C-alpha cells in the first residue's frame, strides 16, 4: 500500500523541515511529501536537500493531502485555516497542527466539523533528532491515523500521547519549554565558572559536555535520577556541599513553581487564541 500523502504548510521552516528530514531519513518516501511556502528559492533549496516536492500553492497541495501538517505561526493560523476550509471539509484529511497554544475547538470552528485533528507539541531538540512531541487526538481520529502521527513524531525523537487536551499544557511545562530551563542552568554554570577564573570558552565546553554526559547516563541507566545524584555525592564531599546549597536555596520549590507558571500560561494562551 502506498504511503499516505503528507502536505506540510510552512514545510521549509525549521520545525516542519526537521520533521520532514527525519521522516525521509527514516525511510518515508520523499515523493509522498509536499512542502509549501512563500519563498521559492528557499523551497528549491529545501527540495534539493530532502527530495520532497515543493510548491507555493497551498490549495493545490491540500487538494491531494491525506495528512495535512500545519506549521505556521499562531497569529496567522486562523487566516490560513479559513482559506482552506472548503477543501479540508470536503476531503477531511488528518490534520496535525504543530502550532503552540491553539486549542482543538478553534481548529474545529475554522476547518469545519468532522475533520480529524491532532495537536502536536514538539520541542526544539527535534531539530537535532532528540525531541519530545506531546500529542493529543481529537474526536474522529482513527488508530491508524494515531499511528501515523506517532511515526511523524518518532522521526525526530519520542512521542508522548496525552488522554486529555489539558495534558498538552503539562507537556509544554516539562518538554516544550524545558530546553530553556536547561539552557538557563548551563548559562549560570558558565557564568559562575568564568567568574571563578576559568576562560569562558573552556567553561562553555566543559558545561555542555557535562550536561550531555549526564543526560546520556540518565537515559541509559536503570537507576532513577535521584539515585544517580546520590552516586556522585560522597559524604561531606564537594558535590554534597553544592547540592545542599541548591536545596537550601529553594531550587526544588523554584522549579516546581516555574513549571506551574509555564502550564498556567499555556492554558491562558489557549483561551486567548480560542477566538
Amino acid at each position: 500500500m502506498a504511503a499516505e500523502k503528507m502536505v506540510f504548510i510552512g514545510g521549509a521552516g525549521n520545525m516542519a523541515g526537521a520533521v520532514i528530514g527525519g521522516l525521509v531519513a527514516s525511510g518515508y518516501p520523499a515523493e509522498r511529501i509536499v512542502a509549501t511556502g512563500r519563498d521559492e528559492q528557499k523551497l528549491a533549496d529545501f527540495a534539493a536537500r530532502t527530495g520532497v516536492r515543493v510548491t507555493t500553492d497551498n490549495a493545490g497541495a491540500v487538494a491531494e493531502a491525506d495528512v495535512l501538517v500545519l506549521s505556521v505561526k499562531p497569529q496567522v493560523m486562523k487566516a490560513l485555516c479559513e482559506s482552506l476550509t472548503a477543501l479540508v471539509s470536503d476531503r477531511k484529511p488528518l490534520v496535525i497542527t504543530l502550532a503552540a497554544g491553539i486549542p482543538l475547538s478553534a481548529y474545529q470552528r475554522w476547518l469545519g466539523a468532522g475533520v480529524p485533528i491532532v495537536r502536536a507539541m514538539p520541542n526544539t531538540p527535534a531539530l537535532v533528532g532528540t525531541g519530545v512531541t506531546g500529542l493529543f487526538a481529537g474526536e474522529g481520529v482513527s488508530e491508524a491515523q494515531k499511528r501515523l502521527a506517532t511515526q511523524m513524531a518518532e522521526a525526530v525523537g519520542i512521542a508522548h500521547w496525552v488522554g486529555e487536551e489539558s495534558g498538552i499544557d503539562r507537556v509544554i511545562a516539562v518538554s516544550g519549554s524545558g530546553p530553556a530551563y536547561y539552557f538557563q542552568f548551563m548559562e549560570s554554570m558558565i557564568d559562575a565558572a568564568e567568574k571563578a577564573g576559568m576562560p569562558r570558552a573552556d567553561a562553555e565546553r566543559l558545561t555542555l559536555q557535562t550536561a550531555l554526559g549526564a543526560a546520556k547516563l540518565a537515559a541509559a541507566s536503570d537507576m532513577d535520577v535521584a539515585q544517580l545524584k546520590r552516586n556522585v555525592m560522597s559524604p561531606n564531599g564537594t558535590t554534597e556541599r553544592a547540592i545542599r546549597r541548591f536545596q537550601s536555596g529553594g531550587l526544588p520549590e523554584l522549579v516546581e513553581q516555574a513549571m506551574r507558571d509555564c502550564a498556567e500560561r499555556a492554558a491562558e494562551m489557549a483561551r486567548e487564541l480560542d477566538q
Side-chain angles (χ1 to χ4, degrees), residues 123-137:
N123 64 359
T124 54
L127 298 172
V128 291
T130 53
V132 175
T133 301
L135 297 158
F136 173 73

Side-chain angles (χ1 to χ4, degrees), residues 147-204:
R147 287 194 295 272
L148 188 56
T150 298
Q151 179 184 4
M152 186 192 78
E154 290 181 343
V156 289
I158 66 172
H160 178 77
W161 285 93
V162 297
E164 55 186 22
E165 191 167 9
S166 61
I168 288 289
D169 297 339
R170 293 186 285 275
V171 171
I172 290 171
V174 175
S175 296
S177 298
Y181 311 159
Y182 290 99
F183 298 149
Q184 173 65 68
F185 198 80
M186 290 180 215
E187 181 184 17
S188 296
M189 285 184 64
I190 293 165
D191 289 345
E194 184 180 32
K195 288 177 182 177
M198 182 179 288
R200 189 169 185 85
D202 292 345
E204 182 169 351

Side-chain angles (χ1 to χ4, degrees), residues 58-73:
N58 287 340
V62 173
E64 302 177 4
D66 300 309
V67 181
L68 175 59
V69 183
L70 304 176
S71 183
V72 299
K73 294 179 180 179

Side-chain angles (χ1 to χ4, degrees), residues 256-266:
E256 180 182 358
Q257 184 59 60
M259 290 176 64
R260 188 181 300 119
D261 289 348
C262 182
E264 289 174 356
R265 179 56 185 149

